[in-house]
Amino acid sequence: MAKQESALPLPAVAPDGAEAPLPRAAPGGTHHGSQPPDAPARPTAPAKSTEEGKLLPSRRSSILSTLNAPFASRRSSLGAAPGGKRPAAGPWMLHSRVSFSGLPLFQPIQETRYENTYKMQPDEGCKFNACRVQRVLESALASSLGDVVYGAQSGTQLAHSLADLVRSRAKEVVPPRYKLVCHVLLGQRGQQSMLVASRALWDPQSDSFASATFSNASLFAVATVHGLYFE
Amino acid sequence: MEEFHPHNDEMIFNADEAHNIVKECIEGVLGKADYNHNKVNQWTAAIVEQSLTHLVKLGKTYKYIVTCAVMQRSGAGLHTASSCFWDTTTDEIRLVNGEFPGLDFIGLETWISFSLFSAQTYCSYCLS
């Protein structure tokens, strides 16, 4: 995916995850986009110091490399592009603010913006492979539940860990740009009957699901993974 | 060429509203029927289909997955867990489990676990 970088001079920056100050979807002010309020604040940046960029070029690069890491991994599956007009990155945008005492304030978070990829469908050969995922599910269930005996307290933990395991295994084999929904049912084996059904509203050409079951003497497990293509 | 931008209200999904829709579907399908083991298949299918139909009418740019598990109550334990790889700011899970008020006969015989997953499918772009 193509990237274009622009610096956002945010006043009080906290690098903890994708919080509200980071606009993601575009125009028309979605409920979690904060770009419109930020836009008027931008022109005030050049009023602050202008020599900061020369003093700390190396520091900024190291900060950018650490700050970009958590966002980039998240952004790669979303492909959100900027909304609205952005001024070109002139020299004043690269400079941070300086307090009155001359100490540098926190560097602005440089946000990675992705351009439109114009992709409507998954690439050739990059679709959700249901057979492969089913094999992976079966092996994951068999390896983790081979000799386990059902216990009421341990069942909760086991179900949780199974769900995470299934999701991590499925992520390895599923192509990128897919969202995954993993559902695990773990039950004690008795004389009861059970029916599991699921239905989805999706694009049948790009989305699919895979499921696998496992049972031993004391328990049974049903794992389902749905893959949804996200453009 | 005309650009297609979904309206703002199509992108925002109210998961509580979906939760209520699903609960009403379940009560609508099961509330009027006496328990019949042979009809469990039909009930499951009806609940799932009706929920999905109502969700489609909301007209959001979302994909939905509904999962329904119906189990006979015989004293055995059941655990369900789900793990999702998606965008947590736009996508949600809603669960409807167990017994329902006013459906005591169902509570004696069966246990129902219903999950609704909603994943946003469209991220609008702007050509800059």
Side-chain angles (χ1 to χ4, degrees), chain A residues 162-184:
Chain A
L162 262 182
D164 288 333
L165 174 71
V166 158
R167 186 196 52 175
S168 56
R169 292 277 183 93
K171 256 178 80 176
E172 294 165 7
V173 292
V174 161
R177 302 173 75 88
Y178 269 89
K179 289 183 176 177
L180 293 176
V181 173
C182 308
H183 189 69
V184 169

Side-chain angles (χ1 to χ4, degrees), chain B residues 47-77:
Chain B
I47 291 172
V48 166
E49 273 192 51
Q50 281 188 18
S51 312
L52 219 42
T53 312
H54 283 103
L55 287 171
V56 166
K57 288 181 187 170
L58 294 177
K60 308 287 182 186
T61 56
Y62 271 78
K63 293 180 179 175
Y64 305 102
I65 298 173
V66 293
T67 311
C68 183
V70 177
M71 190 176 85
Q72 190 178 12
R73 258 198 185 184
S74 65

Side-chain angles (χ1 to χ4, degrees), chain A residues 1-6 23-24 68-83 86 111-118 177, chain B residues 123-128:
Chain A
M1 266 185 277
K3 296 185 193 180
Q4 59 188 27
E5 306 219 345
S6 62
R24 301 182 42 253
N68 264 338
F71 303 132
S73 61
R74 206 70 180 101
R75 300 255 178 255
S76 60
S77 65
L78 301 174
R86 293 208 162 258
E111 195 163 313
T112 306
R113 299 250 173 240
Y114 292 94
E115 284 184 349
N116 203 341
T117 58
Y118 299 98
R177 302 173 75 88
Chain B
C123 201
S124 64
Y125 298 103
C126 181
L127 302 177
S128 56

Side-chain angles (χ1 to χ4, degrees), chain A residues 24 74 79 118 150 159 167 179-180 182 184 186-188 192-193 195 197-201 207 226 229-231, chain B residues 41 48-49 63-66 68-70 72 77 79-87 91 120 122 125 127:
Chain A
R24 301 182 42 253
R74 206 70 180 101
Y118 299 98
Y150 178 85
R167 186 196 52 175
K179 289 183 176 177
L180 293 176
C182 308
V184 169
L186 183 75
Q188 186 180 15
Q192 79 277 12
S193 64
L195 179 74
S198 79
R199 198 162 290 221
L201 178 75
D207 305 327
H226 299 259
Y229 181 71
F230 181 77
E231 59 173 57
Chain B
N41 281 352
V48 166
E49 273 192 51
K63 293 180 179 175
Y64 305 102
I65 298 173
V66 293
C68 183
V70 177
Q72 190 178 12
H79 300 269
T80 65
S82 61
S83 169
C84 303
F85 177 66
W86 61 20
D87 184 2
D91 307 329
Q120 191 184 41
Y122 184 84
Y125 298 103
L127 302 177

